[in-house]
Each structure stands twice: as C-alpha cells, then as structure tokens.
Amino acid sequence: MLDLLTSALNPRSVAIIGASDNIHKIGGRPIYYMQRHGYQGAVYPINPTREVIQGHKSYASLAALPEVPDLALVVVGGDKTVAAVEECAARGVKSAVVIASGFGETGPEGLEQQRHMVAKARAAGMRLYGPNTQGLANFGTGAIAGFSTMFIEVPPMDGPIGIVSQSGGMSAMAYGLLRGRGLGVRHVHATGNEADVTVGELALAVAHDPDVRLLLLYLESIANPEMLAAAAAHARARDLPIIAIKAGRSAGGQKAASSHTGSLANEDRTVDAFFRHHGIWRVRDPHEQARAAQAYLKGWRPEGRRLVVISNSGASCVMGADAADDEGLPLAELSPETQRNVAAQLPGFATASNPIDITAALLSDSGLFGKVLPAVAQDPAADLFFLNIPVAGAGYDVQAFARDAAAFEAATGKPVAVAAWQESVAEPFRAQGIATFPNEGEAVGVLAQVAQHTELMRRARVAWPALPDVPLPPGQDGGFLNEVDSLALLAQHGVPTVPLRLVRSAQEAREAFGAIGAPVVVKACSPEVPHKSEHGLVALNVASADEAAALFERFWLKMGDMGVARDGVIVAAMRRGRHEFMIGARQDPVFGPVVVVGDGGKNVEAMKDCAVLLPPFSAHEVAQALRTLRIAPLLDGVRGDPPLDIAALSALAVTIGQVIAGARGSIASLDLNPVLVGAAGEGAIVVDALVERAGA
Amino acid sequence: MLDLLTSALNPRSVAIIGASDNIHKIGGRPIYYMQRHGYQGAVYPINPTREVIQGHKSYASLAALPEVPDLALVVVGGDKTVAAVEECAARGVKSAVVIASGFGETGPEGLEQQRHMVAKARAAGMRLYGPNTQGLANFGTGAIAGFSTMFIEVPPMDGPIGIVSQSGGMSAMAYGLLRGRGLGVRHVHATGNEADVTVGELALAVAHDPDVRLLLLYLESIANPEMLAAAAAHARARDLPIIAIKAGRSAGGQKAASSHTGSLANEDRTVDAFFRHHGIWRVRDPHEQARAAQAYLKGWRPEGRRLVVISNSGASCVMGADAADDEGLPLAELSPETQRNVAAQLPGFATASNPIDITAALLSDSGLFGKVLPAVAQDPAADLFFLNIPVAGAGYDVQAFARDAAAFEAATGKPVAVAAWQESVAEPFRAQGIATFPNEGEAVGVLAQVAQHTELMRRARVAWPALPDVPLPPGQDGGFLNEVDSLALLAQHGVPTVPLRLVRSAQEAREAFGAIGAPVVVKACSPEVPHKSEHGLVALNVASADEAAALFERFWLKMGDMGVARDGVIVAAMRRGRHEFMIGARQDPVFGPVVVVGDGGKNVEAMKDCAVLLPPFSAHEVAQALRTLRIAPLLDGVRGDPPLDIAALSALAVTIGQVIAGARGSIASLDLNPVLVGAAGEGAIVVDALVERAGA
C-alpha cells in the first residue's frame, strides 16, 4: 500500500506525456492544477514541439528527463497511448495514469490492447490506472494527475474525506456536492476501466492516509472483492466509515454498466450481503453520500437507535414519528420523571411525551428549546435527537435555538439533527455546526444510517478456524450427487437428515417400509433427475408395504423410460415440521462461498424470500437475517403456535456455510429444501438435499 | 360550494374580532395582509379600545358595524372566543374563522366547548373554520383571514395552485416551498380542529375555482371521506390533479396526531386504497408536493410509462436505469431504426440503445443533444424522457442543451425531465421552463408519479347499479352466523361454495359421508367458535364413514364440554385448489364497505399479504391489485404449473364487495378463508366463511 500511496497519491515527480500549454486542454489542466494547489514535487511536461509549458521546461521524451518520474500521466490517445505505456514500463516509472478511452469498453480489440498494456506494466513492476479515467487528485499534496473540470467549477479545499470511484463523473459529482456543503476533500480518484488498479486497492491505500476520516466509493462492478474487503477491514480497525454506491442494481442498470466499462454483472443481493458483511454502508447516489458526510465527520457513533422527536408544530411531530417508523427507529419511551420535567417547561396544551410538541409557545419563549433539551437528556432511553422546525421566522430567536442545540450536543455527545427548509432557519444551526437537513425524511434517515452503520462496523466478527474437510464421492465434474449421497454428505458434518433407505427391488422396498414404519415417502433416486417432483417421482404419505412396493416398480420403470441413471428408489420417514425453510449455498464466481437461507417449499425461486450471508458468520447473524424475511412474523409462532426452533436452523446454516467454504471449490452448490423446523427445542431436519459438484 | 366560495374565500366584507394596530400581532396581521394584497371588500376591525386601526375605522362590537360581515375572523382567546362565535351566529355572519387553540385537542372539556360553538353556528346557518387554525388566505382576491408569518417571509404571488391543510404549519411550508420554486399560489387554507368545515369540503370549494390547476392537501385524519370523494370527483371531471399528504401513517404518528388535534386514527392501508380509488396521489411531505408541482402545471399527462434515459456520463446512464427500475418505469425498447438514427449522430464508442450514452463527446459537439432528441422522438415506444447531466461546466454550451430540450418538449408534447445538481447547469434549463431536479431519483420519481397519477385519474370507473338485497337469518346483533349459514348466504349470491351437510347425529354423519364421497372434511359448527381449528374441531382427509361418525361424536362432546351452542357438525367435500386465497370485507367506521383480497391460509393475519379495495370496483381492478401482492409471482404458475384462475377470484371479490355494500350496514364483516383457486378455467371455491352481524 505504501507503494501506491507514495508513487501515485504522493509522487515525488510527475511527467505529463502529451503536455499542453493550454490549461483548458486535458494535457494542460493537470499542470495548472498542480501549480495552483501547491504541488512540491517535480513536474515534467513532455511535448517535443515546445520548449516551455506553463513555466516548466518541456522535454521531448521520457528518455530526456533528468530522472525517472514516480508517476506518468499519459494524455496522448490512440496508438500513442500504448507506446507511451510501454516506454513508461521500460524506463521504470512506478505508476502510469492512462486517460484515453477506446479500450476495454469498446469490445474485444480494445480489451486486447488494454491487456497488453497491463502485461507490459506488470512485467516491469509498474502500476496502471485506467484507461478511460479522469485520473487522480490529492489535495493534501497538490498531486493532481487528473483533468476534471470540476476543480475549476468548485474550488478545492483539503479535508478529511477521500473519494475513490470507477466513474470520473461520479467522483466529480461527489466532490462538488461535498464542497458545496463546505466540507473539505483530500482525495478524488477515478479508476476507469480498472485494467490494473481497482477501487478496492485504491480505497485500501486511501484508508492508510491518517487524515482521512470518511471514505466514499463508487463502483459499477466488483471484480476483486478481496481487496475491497481488505480496505474495509483496515478502515474498521481505525473507525473509518465507508459509504459506497454500487450502481447497476437493476437488470437495465447492469446492462448499461456493461456497455459503459465492459464490466461483468454482480448479483445485487450478494453485493448487499458483501457490504453488510464488511461494515460498508450502501447508498444510491452521491447526494446520499454527501448528505450524511457531516454526521460522520462529527464523530457520531450512537449507542442505540431510540429517537426523540421535538417540534414546534404538531404536524411535524406526526411526520417525524412517521419518518422514524419509515427508517426503523423506535421512538424513545421517556420515563415518567422525564415527562414531568419536560411538562414543567411547557404550556398546558403542549405534549410532553415523545414526540414532544412544544407548540407555537416557542414564539413567546425562545428559551423553550434550551429548557426542554436538558430535561430529556437525563433519560437513558434517548439515543438520538431530532428537532423538526417547519416554520420559524420573524419573532423567533433562531440563533438562541441553534446555540442551545449546539450546547446540548456538546454536553451529551448524543447526535442532534435538525430539519428546517427555510434558509433563514437552517443557516444559524449550520453556523453552530449542527447537522441540518431540509426535511424530516433526510434528517431521520441520516440519524438511522449512522446508528445502523455503527452497529455494522462494531459487529463482533466470527472466525471459523478449523473448517471441515469435505471429500466428495467419486463422480463426474459439474454433475449432481444423488439425493442419498447428498444427504449422506450432510450427515457426515453432523446435519440432521431424515432416516431413509435406498432400495433396488420391490422386496427391499417392503423391508424398508417395515424398518422405517408408516407413513413413508417414496421417491426416485437419480443424479440426473434433480427436480423429481416435477416428473411425478415422489409419493408422500405412503401407508402400506404393498403401496411402497408398487411405487418402487412404477418409479423404476419410469426412470428406465426416461433413460436416466437408476441409482435406486428412496424409502424415507415422512416427517413434518412447523415450517419449511430452505438453505442454499453456492460458489459465487466473484464473491466465493455464499449462503442463502429463507422460506422453503416449491415456490422458493418465485418468492425469493431469503437472506444472503457471506462466510464466516455466526448463528446469531443467521437469526438476525431471518428477521429480515417477509415470513419473519411466523418465527415467533402465530395464533397460539409455539415459536420456531430458530437456533437449530441458524446452527444448520452455519454448518452449511462451513461445508461450502471447507470444500474449497469442489462443491458448486448445495440446495437443502425443505428443511423442516419444529417448535423451539424440537430441532431442524433436512428432508431433501442436492449437492452439485464444481465444473471441470 | 358557492356559499363557501363566496362567504369564506371571496367575502365582500371581513370583520376582525380582536383587531390590533400592531401588524406583528395575530389581530393586526390579517388587516395588514388584506391592505397589502389588494383586498377590495370592506375591512371592519373590532376593538372597543381604538378609534382607528391600520387606517380603518375601528368598531366597538359586531353590533356597531354598518352591515353584517360575510366573514368574521375571531382572534380573541379563552371564553371570549365562544362568546364571539355565539354573537356572530346570532347576527347572521356567514363564516367565522376561529384562531384560538385550547379546544378539542386538549380533552373532553375543550371538545365540549368546541361542540357548543358548532351547534350555535349550525343553528344559525353559519359555517365555522377551526378552532386552532392559522386561517384562510386567497391571494386571488386578497381576502386573508389568517395570520401566517410565512406571507412576510416569502412574498405571495397569485397563481394556479390551491393548498388546503389541517395544519397551518404544513400549509405555510407547502406555500413557502412552492414560492421558492417561483410558482404562484392562490389558496392557502388551514382547517385546524375541523369542528365544522373539513379539508374535504374546503377542497371541493377550491376545486370550483376555475383558475386552480393543482390542488395540494394535508390531512392528519379523514373523518368525512364523502366530502373528500366529492372534491376528487369534481377535480377529475375537470382534469385537476390532487396531491395529498396523509400524516399519521405509523402507529407512533397516529398517536402523535391524536394528541395534536384529538383526531381518530385511520387504518393506513385503507387510506391508501381510498386515495387510489379517487385518483388522488399520495406523497409523504410538502417537499414531494412542491417538487412535482411544475410537472403537473406544464400539463404533463403521459400516454404510458416507457422511459428514455440520455446522459453524457456512462455512470449516469447506469444510475438512470436503476432509478427507472426503482420507480417501476420500463426502459423504452427503441426500434432498430431509431437506434441507427441515434448512432448516426454519435461517436463510435457511444451507446445508441436506451440508456443513450452520448459520452463526453458532448463537450466537443454541443449540438448532440439537439440531434439525438429528434432521432428518438420518432419512436412510438418512448413516452417519457430523462436527461441526466452529472457534470458540465466550462466548455459545455448548456444554453444550447436547454434550448434544444425545450424545443423538443414543445414539438412532441412528451415530458422531459432533467437532473443536474450544478446550479450553473440547472439554471439554463429552468429558464427554458424544463422541469429540473438535483438527481435522477427525483427526476425519474416525478416522471413516474405523473404517469401513474394520470392512469389513476383516467381509470374507467365502474358503477354497481343494482346491488343485491342481503337479508340475514334471524340472530343476535354483533354475533357471527355459523359456518353453514355463512356459506349459504354466499351461495345465495352465486358464490361457489363447497358441498356440505350439517348433521346432528353419528348416523347422519355416515349418510353424509356416503352422499358426498371420500375424502371429506369434518368440522364442528357453532356460531360461538369462529376459529374452530384452534380448538381441534376440524379433521381433514376423512376417508371412511366410520371415521366420520367417530369424529361427529368427538366434536359433539367437545362442544358440549366447551358450553357453546351446538348447531351441528359439518361433513363437507374435501377440495384442493392450486393456491389458497382469502377475501375479507368489513364496514370501516370511516370509509364504509372495504374489501380485502390476498394470500390465504392460517397465516393471513401475520403475513398481511393482501390488497385493499373500496367499492365499487371491477374484476379488472381486483386482478391489478393481486399483482401488487408479494405472492404475485405465483399467479402465472411456477415451475411448470398452469396460471391460476385470477378471473374467477376477481369476480368473486366483486361479488363480495356487492354483498357488503348491498347489506347496507347489516353485515359487520365477511371472512372467506380459504378460497381455493384452481388453474385458469377451473374456477374458485369458498371452503370456509364467517359472516359477522353488525352490532346493535
């Protein structure tokens, strides 16, 4: 990382290949920016047609420089781009930033050229940024190897925020929005096509800058999650929050992303799980990044989610309570003592319970805010404070309100957010450093975001030290294990599975029925018929040995007619649970082992009521994830039913996660459906399972 | 309505009871406003301690006035309020606006005083606004019977928007936000405690103002839906869109609303259904009202929802596509010809399919927008246009883009929305009258809102001319019909119900089994045991006459032990459908007959996967509502299953709606669960039903 930090983000010297004297040109702007923003290193314009460029001596070629520069900014286009990169590599340049587009995003030919440049760079130990990028900018050092016009539109100011983005447009937009809020920004880096360096790696480098206290990312595809995970781990270790956009959430968006940078699509629910797992907060756009920034920089790390709403308007109390509900923040239940203390400050017709309606009495007593806040602050039930001021103006001492709010926040350390749409009301609060928003949705949304993000960042992280060894029975790569082998594999790892026998004759079917006892399930067993119920090869509630024998004959013949491998027929105990769940696991091509747990049965695919978890995870995290399902209300038992054995189901999901992670790529997927879950204490049992071998 | 319009919104004369010479006082501000905003009628300050108030002759009392005023604004507080209202009523004032708080919102005593004022007003034919209100303001006439300070903070301008609000704070906020966008506002009315005139009635009056082209409402409770429905009907008839906030969406919000104005809670899903039914668009807050206003005033009434996204940034194409997906807008599939025409305008590396990425080439060719737009306009697949401009500035001819966009919109009549967060980019578009937003979420959100709202407003409305007469069998008010009587009532109205017999002996149970045929369901029948399965009084899959007879004995004894009325035991055919639905209907205390249709089975209450419909509605509307359920993916059949008979289910829901509406209050509720629905063409059949009589 120190490599990247020194050679790219803090280079001792920068060459501009294709330098221009015109500061409005891409080859001219970086030189102008470096002069303007105090870059202390050497700047080497390379342009054989000029003697001097923007006051710097201009050189004819890289070879003509007095030293090998740390960083080369390649501004020339077309074939010259490739030649310049080759020369940089050959001469020992440490980092090359390639601006030109027309590579990987245009098709196979461009991709080939892009790969060629990376190969040359790697062979020489040079790192490559781009191509198709706006470049890098570090306002801490003035090293600006980029050309964004936004640095002219909105003047830079160094500060505690880092931006790392695939898209130059989005990095410029985030920068502009943050600066518009008066916040300083140090790093504004775009990675473009990510032929070599990705957002993840650059984020890891920026996370090592000790002055950065908030890190904002924009991604269109995640090709390299390990690096992003490493960045997140380093950030968490030093309490550095990361807020990420991952665009291409929808099918249409992924298609557009693919034609934009030639990137592969990520499954969006897995992206969500990845971010959650690593304590990264996901938002939709740079506006959401910018609007929350101040709250993070203030160091808000709330202990809980319980919100107190205070307003001078009854309607705004109602809307504040609605917004709390929208955002999953419970209203703090103030103690009777707190309510008495608050009531003592308020006129008779005001409301002292939460939301606290101090009414238009604020107009006649400007000290009300300052009196009510400390009365509430005593209450341990209050984690977060929201002041909703829909109307104020002539006659209101807004300056006093703002001073009181700031004093309260300073004294208690508890987050205070204000909603005020009138600039005349918002401005005094902003001047006191209070986080101020135009409406309750944004204010409460940011409070909720920081509270939930803090929980994610501080979540206890489990380790799975000794993963089981998972030998598969011999068989063809890419195929399925039959149901008996699949269940046996699970049983080896301690997973409760239904008692069964694999039979190969009617007589064996009778014997199995006798041994297992009525009622039984009879089902065909073939690795080539994974979805046997769709072929009529499952019979439930079989009540006699004769019936079991007859079903054997029928299924055996049917499999023969279908021309599939006949491993036998399964006679299994017929079990019922209180609810059918499913547990799935697969090797994601990008994210590796992924576990899915959710509502089971035949409609799993259609209903998609499941949660995604990335290993390693704890049973507690599974139980939490189950609470996000649509069937969550059923977990506690409905209409007099006992609660379900979520502990057993969660433990089972952990085991499955350990199996797929332990298989180290030999298992492509596991599908356990249904998993019958009984009442608490009754356990969970797997009735059907399908294990898919990894491809050749 | 003309009464309200003339006497309250356009009075010939206004008396201010408690007038003040100080324009900062509540009794002084309305006089100041009327002078300032050109009120042409007579203004009569009433204040016995003054000769002249703000240049008007002041009178000692209402009796001393030269005429009876159309409108009296009652500013005095406490006991004087009631006395003033009594005098206004006695003297024939047509409308009284009562500012003071401390009435219905404070408890039983205040409510009693409030009722007393209304009784006096009604007896005299006087209408009452408030109490606890900021009053009325009509900037078309200058009649300002209100004291909001917002009219000083933000100067008024007459225009095509009307605001009617329970809350004075929210009316002021909506007014301020609209004015901040440069939009003119005519009506700003607050109804406060709504002791007499409600938002619905005042909205109906404002909807009669021919100059009003957009109507914004804020409600905390709907006590009087008929009037609101009448306002909506009148508005639809003249193509006047209504955008409403109904606060108190959450439990916490409803509790706050109740302590704010003493209002009753409305069931929020029924509120949603009510707004949809009447073509009113619901939003969360005044910001959402204001941000969509311009789009409505431009007359956008799109023919469809298919969106074209155009940007100069690949990332913004991706995020535009994601936003379209979020908002339920499909991306328009442009014809090959359109794509060729677009491609002909663009550089080689740009994308001519939708989203259209015109890339940074816009920087060198400012005419690109103007060339691409007409190329797309030819395509009938395009309903809505979205230009996403995340970055522009020096070097971009934004003025040209804005002119091209405006020319395009004028030529095609198709909505064009722009997202541009930079003020320097947004301003030229706004100056051309283009609807301009800070980000894609808002821009696409407003396009989606107007498209969907237009569909709601133009929806063909069904009538149910001849409702069935629904005589109930004799029984006690408030009780339940037993299952046999409940199903019989449905069968009378042509609802398919399961074949059954009610038996009162083991021998009759055997005979019923023989007549119906195996398998059967046996269940206890008592109006006092509506949830019989919770008491073990249901047996499925009964396969023999002996079993049926034994179950009769068991259930008969159990009912005896429970001490409940024993109407008999039901022997019914055992039927299976492809999916179990439920249909419910009830008399809502506010909204009247309400029908609910959704996923059935025992977890209905916990899962709440259902849609609410208000009569009258068509089978088509039921089918549309079913598409909003979480189980919607199952309707078309999953994993090779045939689609479900949604037509039969929808027809059944219409019948149930007609039954509850036809019962005219004699039925409190109907609960049909499960309703078994077969494959398309197989129909739907009701297996269990429970009819509740209305209370005494």
Side-chain angles (χ1 to χ4, degrees):
Chain A
M1 280 315 103
L2 290 179
D3 273 7
L4 288 196
L5 267 175
T6 48
S7 74
L9 306 188
N10 191 15
R12 282 164 309 167
S13 49
V14 177
I16 298 90
I17 303 177
S20 169
D21 205 40
N22 182 343
I23 66 164
H24 299 299
K25 292 205 168 169
I26 291 177
R29 219 175 288 142
I31 301 168
Y32 169 71
Y33 285 152
M34 284 191 275
Q35 285 177 336
R36 182 161 166 171
H37 300 299
Y39 178 58
Q40 300 291 315
V43 174
Y44 299 119
I46 297 184
N47 183 334
T49 69
R50 298 267 175 170
E51 294 286 316
V52 173
I53 286 182
Q54 298 184 48
H56 297 272
K57 172 172 167 48
S58 176
Y59 297 85
S61 67
L62 206 56
L65 296 187
E67 63 174 328
V68 176
D70 277 356
L71 177 80
L73 178 60
V74 180
V75 176
V76 291
D79 291 341
K80 288 184 182 162
T81 311
V82 179
V85 170
E86 286 173 344
E87 194 184 356
C88 289
R91 294 201 174 269
V93 168
K94 295 199 185 73
S95 292
V97 177
V98 182
I99 301 296
S101 52
F103 290 92
E105 79 281 13
T106 60
E109 203 179 318
L111 188 61
E112 191 42 52
Q113 285 189 298
Q114 187 171 306
R115 286 187 176 141
H116 171 77
M117 290 192 292
V118 176
K120 289 286 182 189
R122 294 226 166 114
M126 180 177 83
R127 300 308 302 269
L128 194 140
Y129 298 79
N132 190 18
T133 179
Q134 270 188 12
L136 312 175
N138 178 351
F139 291 104
T141 61
I144 320 290
F147 66 95
S148 172
T149 55
M150 198 55 66
F151 305 144
I152 295 170
E153 302 286 320
V154 183
M157 177 175 86
D158 187 23
I161 304 177
I163 300 167
V164 184
S165 168
Q166 265 181 277
S167 155
M170 286 306 111
S171 66
M173 184 166 164
Y175 160 86
L177 289 167
L178 291 162
R179 293 290 306 112
R181 287 172 179 264
L183 300 172
V185 181
R186 170 164 297 180
H187 296 274
V188 188
H189 308 309
T191 55
N193 284 7
E194 304 202 330
D196 176 23
V197 177
T198 62
V199 165
E201 189 169 2
L202 205 44
L204 180 53
V206 172
H208 277 80
D209 182 334
D211 294 336
V212 169
R213 293 192 290 117
L214 177 64
L215 184 49
L216 307 182
L217 310 181
Y218 173 90
L219 302 136
E220 265 169 38
S221 67
I222 301 174
N224 185 344
E226 296 80 10
M227 203 58 93
L228 200 52
H234 183 79
R236 280 196 313 277
R238 52 163 293 222
D239 193 35
L240 167 64
I242 304 179
I243 309 176
I245 299 161
K246 163 68 178 65
R249 293 177 285 117
S250 62
Q254 288 184 354
K255 189 161 158 273
S258 154
S259 64
H260 173 210
T261 53
S263 58
L264 285 176
N266 299 113
E267 207 262 321
D268 203 58
R269 294 162 60 106
T270 309
V271 172
D272 268 343
F274 176 82
F275 284 149
R276 250 192 337 271
H277 188 79
H278 294 288
I280 297 171
W281 191 261
R282 186 177 188 179
V283 298
R284 292 204 313 181
D285 61 33
H287 289 269
E288 290 188 356
Q289 289 182 318
R291 82 179 191 193
Q294 184 194 7
Y296 285 94
L297 294 178
K298 285 168 76 80
W300 285 2
R301 302 290 188 273
E303 294 296 322
R305 300 189 185 186
R306 295 162 305 173
L307 179 72
V308 176
V309 177
I310 304 173
S311 181
N312 62 332
S313 145
S316 290
C317 283
V318 179
M319 294 174 75
D322 284 345
D325 188 71
D326 290 342
E327 300 289 343
L329 298 184
L331 292 174
E333 286 190 27
L334 302 177
S335 71
E337 190 193 346
T338 303
Q339 295 194 39
R340 271 195 306 276
N341 292 343
V342 172
Q345 308 295 343
L346 295 178
F349 49 88
T351 308
S353 64
N354 184 16
I356 300 172
D357 180 4
I358 59 178
T359 76
L362 186 62
L363 193 50
S364 46
D365 179 0
S366 287
L368 268 185
F369 259 134
K371 291 173 193 164
V372 166
L373 284 170
V376 185
Q378 305 306 321
D379 200 310
D383 299 310
L384 307 165
F385 288 81
F386 168 48
L387 309 184
N388 205 1
I389 311 179
V391 173
Y396 288 88
D397 188 353
V398 180
Q399 301 284 354
F401 308 157
R403 278 194 306 272
D404 289 342
F408 171 80
E409 193 175 32
T412 64
K414 292 185 180 179
V416 178
V418 167
W421 66 272
Q422 291 169 272
E423 184 52 28
S424 59
V425 180
E427 200 283 320
F429 282 98
R430 271 204 300 270
Q432 291 287 341
I434 299 286
T436 305
F437 303 89
N439 56 53
E440 53 268 318
E442 289 193 24
V444 176
V446 166
L447 286 167
Q449 173 180 337
V450 178
Q452 293 170 38
H453 193 180
T454 301
E455 288 171 25
L456 274 188
M457 288 176 69
R458 296 190 175 168
R459 167 171 74 81
R461 311 190 84 76
V462 292
W464 287 348
L467 287 178
D469 199 31
V470 186
L472 295 192
Q476 205 187 341
D477 284 347
F480 290 98
L481 267 60
N482 74 27
E483 181 175 343
V484 173
D485 291 343
S486 296
L487 287 167
L489 183 93
L490 296 177
Q492 281 166 32
H493 295 286
V495 172
T497 59
V498 73
L500 60 78
R501 283 199 189 180
L502 182 67
V503 302
R504 294 183 57 88
S505 73
Q507 183 52 32
E508 283 181 16
R510 285 177 190 281
E511 290 165 14
F513 180 87
I516 291 168
V520 299
V521 178
V522 178
K523 39 191 177 177
C525 182
S526 168
E528 296 174 41
V529 190
H531 300 295
K532 50 202 174 291
S533 61
E534 289 178 11
H535 298 278
L537 290 171
V538 177
L540 305 176
N541 265 317
V542 177
S544 72
D546 285 352
E547 203 183 339
L551 283 162
F552 172 85
E553 299 288 6
R554 177 153 39 112
F555 290 174
W556 192 257
L557 285 173
K558 176 98 185 249
M559 283 192 282
D561 291 347
M562 290 168 72
V564 296
R566 293 192 285 196
D567 290 0
V569 168
I570 293 169
V571 178
M574 171 93 189
R575 289 287 167 87
R576 289 190 186 284
R578 291 196 171 265
H579 196 86
E580 294 189 354
F581 286 84
M582 65 79 64
I583 299 175
R586 64 185 169 81
Q587 286 287 348
D588 185 276
V590 172
F591 295 99
V594 170
V595 174
V596 174
V597 55
D599 195 19
K602 68 172 282 203
N603 295 327
V604 162
E605 289 297 323
M607 294 302 293
K608 291 187 175 62
D609 188 16
C610 54
V612 180
L613 292 153
L614 298 197
F617 53 82
S618 66
H620 176 67
E621 285 167 57
V622 180
Q624 280 189 317
L626 290 168
R627 292 282 158 195
T628 68
L629 299 181
R630 295 195 297 262
I631 56 160
L634 307 184
L635 303 183
D636 300 318
V638 294
R639 292 180 64 173
D641 287 349
L644 298 177
D645 199 336
I646 293 312
L649 177 65
S650 301
L652 215 161
V654 170
T655 302
I656 298 306
Q658 292 175 337
V659 167
I660 189 127
R664 293 182 179 77
S666 67
I667 296 178
S669 71
L670 295 120
D671 184 12
L672 287 59
N673 184 14
V675 178
L676 302 181
V677 176
E682 290 178 0
I685 188 166
V686 179
V687 169
D688 198 351
L690 195 58
V691 173
E692 185 189 2
R693 299 171 190 280
Chain B
M1 282 314 103
L2 292 180
D3 272 9
L4 287 197
L5 268 176
T6 48
S7 72
L9 307 187
N10 191 14
R12 283 165 308 168
S13 49
V14 177
I16 298 90
I17 302 176
S20 168
D21 205 40
N22 182 341
I23 66 165
H24 298 302
K25 293 208 165 166
I26 292 178
R29 219 176 288 140
I31 301 169
Y32 169 72
Y33 285 151
M34 284 191 274
Q35 283 175 340
R36 180 161 167 173
H37 301 298
Y39 177 58
Q40 298 291 312
V43 175
Y44 299 120
I46 297 181
N47 182 336
T49 69
R50 298 268 176 172
E51 292 287 314
V52 174
I53 286 181
Q54 296 184 48
H56 297 272
K57 173 174 165 47
S58 176
Y59 296 86
S61 68
L62 205 57
L65 296 187
E67 62 174 330
V68 175
D70 276 357
L71 176 80
L73 178 59
V74 179
V75 176
V76 291
D79 290 342
K80 286 184 182 163
T81 311
V82 179
V85 169
E86 284 174 344
E87 193 184 355
C88 288
R91 294 204 173 266
V93 168
K94 295 199 185 74
S95 292
V97 177
V98 181
I99 300 297
S101 53
F103 291 93
E105 81 279 13
T106 59
E109 202 177 321
L111 188 60
E112 190 43 51
Q113 283 188 303
Q114 187 172 307
R115 286 187 176 141
H116 170 77
M117 289 192 292
V118 176
K120 289 287 180 187
R122 292 225 167 114
M126 180 177 86
R127 300 308 303 271
L128 194 140
Y129 299 79
N132 191 17
T133 179
Q134 270 189 12
L136 312 175
N138 178 350
F139 292 104
T141 62
I144 320 291
F147 66 95
S148 172
T149 54
M150 198 54 67
F151 306 144
I152 293 169
E153 302 286 320
V154 184
M157 178 175 85
D158 188 22
I161 303 177
I163 300 167
V164 183
S165 168
Q166 266 181 277
S167 154
M170 288 305 113
S171 67
M173 183 167 165
Y175 160 87
L177 290 167
L178 291 162
R179 291 293 303 113
R181 289 172 177 262
L183 301 172
V185 181
R186 172 164 296 179
H187 297 275
V188 187
H189 308 308
T191 55
N193 283 8
E194 304 204 329
D196 176 22
V197 177
T198 62
V199 165
E201 189 168 4
L202 204 47
L204 179 53
V206 172
H208 276 80
D209 181 335
D211 294 335
V212 169
R213 293 191 291 117
L214 177 65
L215 184 49
L216 307 182
L217 310 182
Y218 171 89
L219 301 136
E220 265 169 39
S221 66
I222 301 175
N224 185 345
E226 297 79 12
M227 201 59 91
L228 199 52
H234 182 79
R236 283 197 311 277
R238 50 164 293 220
D239 194 34
L240 167 64
I242 303 179
I243 309 176
I245 299 161
K246 163 67 177 69
R249 293 176 285 116
S250 62
Q254 288 183 353
K255 188 160 155 275
S258 154
S259 65
H260 175 210
T261 54
S263 58
L264 285 175
N266 299 115
E267 207 264 319
D268 202 58
R269 295 163 59 107
T270 308
V271 172
D272 268 343
F274 176 83
F275 284 149
R276 251 191 339 270
H277 188 80
H278 294 288
I280 297 171
W281 190 262
R282 185 178 187 177
V283 297
R284 291 204 312 180
D285 61 33
H287 289 268
E288 290 189 357
Q289 288 182 317
R291 81 178 194 196
Q294 183 193 9
Y296 285 94
L297 294 178
K298 286 168 75 80
W300 285 2
R301 300 292 187 274
E303 295 295 323
R305 299 189 185 186
R306 294 162 307 174
L307 180 72
V308 176
V309 177
I310 303 173
S311 182
N312 60 332
S313 147
S316 290
C317 283
V318 179
M319 294 174 73
D322 284 344
D325 188 72
D326 290 341
E327 299 289 343
L329 298 184
L331 292 174
E333 287 189 27
L334 302 178
S335 72
E337 191 194 345
T338 302
Q339 295 194 38
R340 274 196 305 277
N341 292 342
V342 172
Q345 308 295 343
L346 294 180
F349 49 87
T351 309
S353 64
N354 185 17
I356 299 172
D357 181 4
I358 60 179
T359 78
L362 186 63
L363 193 50
S364 48
D365 180 358
S366 287
L368 269 184
F369 259 134
K371 292 172 193 163
V372 166
L373 283 170
V376 186
Q378 306 304 322
D379 201 309
D383 298 313
L384 307 165
F385 289 81
F386 168 48
L387 309 184
N388 205 1
I389 310 178
V391 174
Y396 288 89
D397 187 353
V398 180
Q399 300 285 352
F401 309 158
R403 278 194 307 272
D404 289 343
F408 171 80
E409 192 176 33
T412 65
K414 292 185 179 178
V416 177
V418 168
W421 67 271
Q422 291 170 272
E423 184 51 29
S424 59
V425 180
E427 200 283 321
F429 282 99
R430 272 204 299 271
Q432 289 287 341
I434 300 286
T436 305
F437 304 89
N439 56 52
E440 54 269 316
E442 289 194 23
V444 176
V446 166
L447 286 167
Q449 173 179 337
V450 178
Q452 292 171 38
H453 194 179
T454 301
E455 288 170 23
L456 274 188
M457 288 176 70
R458 293 188 175 167
R459 166 170 76 80
R461 309 190 84 76
V462 293
W464 287 348
L467 287 176
D469 200 29
V470 185
L472 295 191
Q476 205 187 340
D477 284 346
F480 291 98
L481 268 58
N482 73 29
E483 181 175 342
V484 172
D485 290 343
S486 295
L487 287 167
L489 183 94
L490 296 177
Q492 281 166 33
H493 295 286
V495 172
T497 58
V498 72
L500 61 80
R501 282 198 191 182
L502 182 67
V503 302
R504 296 184 54 92
S505 72
Q507 182 52 32
E508 283 182 16
R510 286 176 188 281
E511 290 166 13
F513 179 87
I516 291 167
V520 299
V521 178
V522 178
K523 39 191 176 177
C525 184
S526 168
E528 295 171 43
V529 190
H531 300 294
K532 49 200 172 295
S533 61
E534 289 178 13
H535 297 278
L537 291 170
V538 178
L540 304 176
N541 267 314
V542 178
S544 73
D546 285 350
E547 204 183 337
L551 284 162
F552 171 85
E553 300 287 7
R554 178 153 38 114
F555 290 173
W556 190 258
L557 285 173
K558 175 100 186 250
M559 283 192 283
D561 289 348
M562 292 169 69
V564 297
R566 293 192 287 196
D567 290 1
V569 168
I570 294 169
V571 179
M574 172 93 189
R575 290 288 167 84
R576 289 193 188 280
R578 290 193 172 267
H579 195 85
E580 294 189 354
F581 286 84
M582 64 78 65
I583 299 176
R586 64 184 168 82
Q587 286 287 346
D588 184 275
V590 172
F591 295 98
V594 170
V595 174
V596 175
V597 56
D599 194 19
K602 68 171 281 204
N603 296 328
V604 161
E605 289 297 322
M607 294 301 294
K608 291 189 176 61
D609 188 16
C610 54
V612 180
L613 293 153
L614 298 196
F617 53 82
S618 67
H620 176 68
E621 286 165 59
V622 180
Q624 281 188 315
L626 290 169
R627 291 282 159 197
T628 67
L629 299 181
R630 294 196 298 261
I631 56 161
L634 307 183
L635 303 182
D636 300 319
V638 294
R639 293 180 63 173
D641 288 348
L644 298 176
D645 198 336
I646 294 311
L649 178 64
S650 301
L652 214 161
V654 170
T655 302
I656 298 305
Q658 293 175 337
V659 167
I660 190 130
R664 291 179 182 79
S666 67
I667 296 178
S669 72
L670 295 118
D671 183 12
L672 287 59
N673 184 13
V675 179
L676 301 181
V677 176
E682 290 178 1
I685 189 168
V686 179
V687 168
D688 198 350
L690 194 59
V691 174
E692 184 189 3
R693 300 170 191 279

